[in-house]
Amino acid sequence: MTETSPQDQDLDPFLEIGRKIFAGEADFIWAANSLNNLPPMSKVEIAFAGRSNVGKSSLVNALTGRNTLARTSHTPGRTQQLNFFNINNRFHLVDMPGYGYAAVEKQKVQAWTQLIHDYLRGRASLARVYVLVDARHGIKPVDEAVLETLGTAAVSYQIVLTKADEPKQSDLDKRIAETQQKIAKRAAAFPEILTTSSRSGLGIPELRAGIARLLSERGAG
Ligand code: GTP
Ligand code: MG
């Protein structure tokens, strides 16, 4: 079994619960390209945000153990709508388009970046946002803008360093420390940083456990 990061031993009781939640049904249920066609608010929503190509859709697949539930691509700009997945009838996971550079027209990126910010600041059923950051690159100004939006709206969020299989361990350690420092003054941010790899499976049980813990806190678990 993967070891829990030393910073967050409280996740331990939720590892098995998280595993079970994600071992159940996982279905695509809705795509929205504007605030006017979001699904009705029924379940708790948990969203993945991050720059284009950071690995949001791959993480949806890794968590659910499915290769093609969310469509991925090596070209930035693959996901162009808010995609909602029903996870075991417990909550809705929202895979968002990426912000920052994408290999599509600027106007498109501007439109969906606006949609991302609007959704993040205005959705009552949104319980947590995982802000994905490439472990090789760290937090960039476009990420800071999203953290600002989340902070102002008082939406709880946690940073996830993705593609942790890519950097060498010493660089990863430095990146974690640097990222912790960058979010230290942000009240809506979880102090712990999660580290994941959709490729190796690193951190996936812990992320499932974090979600299970949130659902139990919300009375939805
Ligand atoms: P957009 O929808 O375009 O915003 O991208 P995304 O954030 O959904 O990224 P996606 O999951 O499509 O992955 C982008 C690229 O990164 C793909 O080529 C993936 O194979 C690769 N990738 C995703 N996760 C990992 C990982 O954990 N490790 C490595 N090495 N590559 C990854
Ligand atoms: Mg995507």
Side-chain angles (χ1 to χ4, degrees), residues 23-198:
E25 293 285 308
D27 301 296
F28 169 77
I29 52 162
W30 197 284
N33 60 8
S34 96
L35 281 190
N36 298 326
N37 59 17
L38 293 173
M41 288 196 269
S42 53
K43 306 247 179 258
V44 161
E45 288 169 13
I46 295 173
F48 287 171
R51 294 168 70 213
S52 294
N53 207 244
V54 70
K56 300 173 293 296
S57 302
S58 299
L59 198 57
V60 170
N61 291 339
L63 285 170
T64 56
R66 286 154 174 84
N67 288 329
T68 55
L69 184 61
R71 274 183 282 173
T72 66
S73 165
H74 57 265
T75 312
R78 166 75 260 194
T79 309
Q80 306 203 347
Q81 300 187 309
L82 303 183
N83 288 328
F84 291 75
F85 299 90
N86 182 5
I87 307 298
N88 211 8
N89 250 343
R90 302 287 282 284
F91 75 101
H92 291 168
L93 189 55
V94 189
D95 182 20
M96 308 185 92
Y99 45 79
Y101 171 79
V104 300
E105 310 90 275
K106 263 203 173 132
Q107 270 176 328
K108 259 187 164 177
V109 182
Q110 275 170 3
W112 77 49
T113 302
Q114 184 67 47
L115 172 64
I116 292 165
H117 281 262
D118 289 345
Y119 168 81
L120 291 178
R121 79 162 69 84
R123 184 74 166 170
S125 45
L126 182 61
R128 162 105 30 99
V129 179
Y130 289 96
V131 180
L132 278 52
V133 173
D134 191 314
R136 297 166 301 182
H137 305 138
I139 293 181
K140 302 282 183 194
V142 274
D143 298 307
E144 301 270 10
V146 167
L147 304 190
E148 206 58 44
T149 289
L150 291 169
T152 306
V155 176
S156 135
Y157 64 89
Q158 184 164 20
I159 305 288
V160 179
L161 291 177
T162 62
K163 308 194 187 183
D165 54 287
E166 292 276 2
K168 53 180 202 231
Q169 188 63 45
S170 57
D171 288 340
L172 184 61
D173 291 342
K174 270 188 236 158
R175 183 70 68 212
I176 293 170
E178 169 207 288
T179 308
Q180 258 158 355
Q181 214 172 21
K182 282 196 175 175
I183 60 156
K185 291 208 173 71
R186 294 190 175 273
F190 254 65
E192 296 92 7
I193 312 282
L194 281 173
T195 310
T196 62
S197 166
S198 297

